[in-house]
Amino acid sequence: MTVLSYKLVVLITLFSAFFMLPLARFAVGQRSSFSNLLRHFPLSFLDYFSSSSSEVPMESSQFSMAFVTAPDEQVAKKIAHGLVQNKLAACVNIIPKITSIYEWEGKVNEDSELLLMIKTRTTIIDDLTTFVKENHPYDVCEVISTSIEGGNRAYLEWIGSVVKEK
């Protein structure tokens, strides 16, 4: 077998393993939608070859972003530092100068706030919520989250290395 033939066999095998198996599952109805099909493809085919790590790419949905509003910079920084120091978040971005318009106690209000964008593990969201509620001045503070469905593999790995699995 020539070197070229060997490379061709390897490429066909890799193509089958990474791309044809999800398509076959989809074709026999094991996946309910095309978007579900896409979730089973690798984040990037080249990630398997370009990374120095021997690990398979991480499931990105194990990570989440949480959003919290704060009344001022002092409260925002207190919460952000506490989350990172307690390993409840890998990173917190404080976004200044947002305007929130909301109904509270039957009245429409408009306030200047800051937004905390928090990157963490999905399994930590409950602990993160408890921490925010204990350190936030609002009676009912905003803590909402959404899963991270994709992104820079190295960044996701970094989040995982900072915020340990619960």
Side-chain angles (χ1 to χ4, degrees):
M1 184 183 265
T2 67
V3 173
L4 182 59
S5 298
Y6 177 74
K7 286 182 179 180
L8 186 58
V9 168
V10 169
L11 283 175
I12 290 169
T13 304
L14 290 173
F15 179 80
S16 297
F18 292 115
F19 296 100
M20 296 308 290
L21 185 58
L23 283 174
R25 287 182 181 154
F26 182 73
V28 296
Q30 292 181 357
R31 301 289 178 251
S32 60
S33 70
F34 186 69
S35 63
N36 279 342
L37 166 68
L38 295 177
R39 292 181 69 186
H40 295 279
F41 279 101
L43 293 176
S44 168
F45 182 76
L46 294 177
D47 280 347
Y48 289 98
F49 305 103
S50 63
S51 174
S52 60
S53 169
S54 62
E55 295 179 335
V56 174
M58 304 175 90
E59 267 295 315
S60 56
S61 61
Q62 67 182 302
F63 303 106
S64 289
M65 287 185 301
F67 300 94
V68 173
T69 53
D72 57 46
E73 187 175 7
Q74 181 180 357
V75 170
K77 284 185 175 182
K78 175 187 171 191
I79 292 170
H81 279 275
L83 290 170
V84 173
Q85 287 168 351
N86 288 294
K87 304 288 185 187
L88 297 171
C91 176
V92 180
N93 302 110
I94 300 174
I95 304 166
K97 299 181 184 177
I98 64 167
T99 301
S100 295
I101 301 170
Y102 59 96
E103 182 180 324
W104 182 251
E105 297 177 344
K107 180 181 169 197
V108 175
N109 296 278
E110 181 176 320
D111 288 317
S112 237
E113 294 183 300
L114 295 89
L115 179 65
L116 282 69
M117 185 171 68
I118 305 160
K119 278 73 74 177
T120 190
R121 283 187 181 271
T122 302
T123 58
I124 301 297
I125 293 294
D126 290 340
D127 294 340
L128 183 147
T129 300
T130 299
F131 178 88
V132 171
K133 287 168 61 177
E134 290 172 352
N135 291 279
H136 203 290
Y138 292 169
D139 293 335
V140 178
C141 58
E142 174 184 358
V143 183
I144 57 174
S145 66
T146 187
S147 63
I148 297 172
E149 297 300 325
N152 177 355
R153 178 178 175 211
Y155 188 81
L156 298 175
E157 288 174 343
W158 171 74
I159 294 171
S161 71
V162 173
V163 180
K164 301 301 180 196
E165 190 71 46
K166 183 176 177 181

